[in-house]
Amino acid sequence: MTIQIGDKLPDATFKVMTEDGPGETTTNEVFAGKKVVLFAVPGAFTPTCHNNHLPGFIDNLTVFHSKGVDTVAVTSVNDVFVMDAWAKATGAKGKMTFLADGSADFAKALGLELDASAGGLGIRSKRYSMIVEDGKVTSLNIEDSPGQAQVSSAAGVLEQL
């Protein structure tokens, strides 16, 4: 079943890069007591994700914060090393949170996994964005096609804040 507006996020553990190397963080640590904009992409560095989806969130970080958002986070079914390289390559390291969901456990728990095996990508996450307040989903925007970043775009989320 796909997560719905009003649902609490499932418990999950993400890999994150720390100053000491790969570490872990939980949904509770990321979302409890905070207003978080979370968006998911099928793959770091892939064309739509890298060129169309992520840049809007990076460009609008100050606007998100001015609207009361504590954290902007991105998740992808990539390993922590790829997510860290993506953060560095885009200049977003330290400005937003990159959550590696390497085995798609979080995507599956949300009911938002995408089987991209036909394209050689295996199980990935659908492209979506959501606003989460204290661990509860208050807005959810799921793309019909993984190659589009329209309803889940930064501009779309800003309209909902």
Side-chain angles (χ1 to χ4, degrees):
M1 187 170 105
T2 303
I3 195 159
Q4 302 290 317
I5 293 172
D7 290 349
K8 183 170 174 31
L9 290 178
D11 290 333
T13 301
F14 301 98
K15 297 290 185 185
V16 292
M17 191 58 73
T18 71
E19 291 181 15
D20 298 323
E24 294 183 343
T25 192
T26 65
T27 48
N28 190 54
E29 291 168 329
V30 175
F31 299 98
K34 299 175 195 160
K35 186 175 198 173
V36 179
V37 169
L38 173 69
F39 67 104
V41 298
F45 291 109
T46 58
T48 302
C49 306
H50 187 72
N51 299 324
N52 300 346
H53 206 184
L54 178 64
F57 288 92
I58 295 170
D59 293 345
N60 286 289
L61 283 170
T62 57
V63 179
F64 282 114
H65 294 303
S66 75
K67 292 184 174 278
V69 172
D70 298 298
T71 304
V72 176
V74 58
T75 185
S76 183
V77 180
N78 288 108
D79 65 62
V80 67
F81 300 102
V82 169
M83 292 297 279
D84 188 54
W86 198 31
K88 289 175 183 173
T90 58
K93 185 161 177 82
K95 297 177 184 174
M96 55 186 288
T97 303
F98 285 73
L99 302 169
D101 183 25
S103 296
D105 293 334
F106 184 66
K108 291 174 187 173
L110 294 176
L112 293 172
E113 73 272 15
L114 168 71
D115 187 350
S117 298
L121 298 173
I123 301 299
R124 297 291 177 139
S125 175
K126 288 186 178 179
R127 184 182 308 280
Y128 65 85
S129 63
M130 62 173 67
I131 300 169
V132 182
E133 297 186 41
D134 193 24
K136 185 177 180 183
V137 178
T138 60
S139 172
L140 178 61
N141 314 290
I142 305 168
E143 296 289 349
D144 290 329
S145 168
Q148 294 182 346
Q150 296 173 347
V151 300
S152 64
S153 70
V157 176
L158 284 170
E159 290 177 11
Q160 297 171 341
L161 290 170

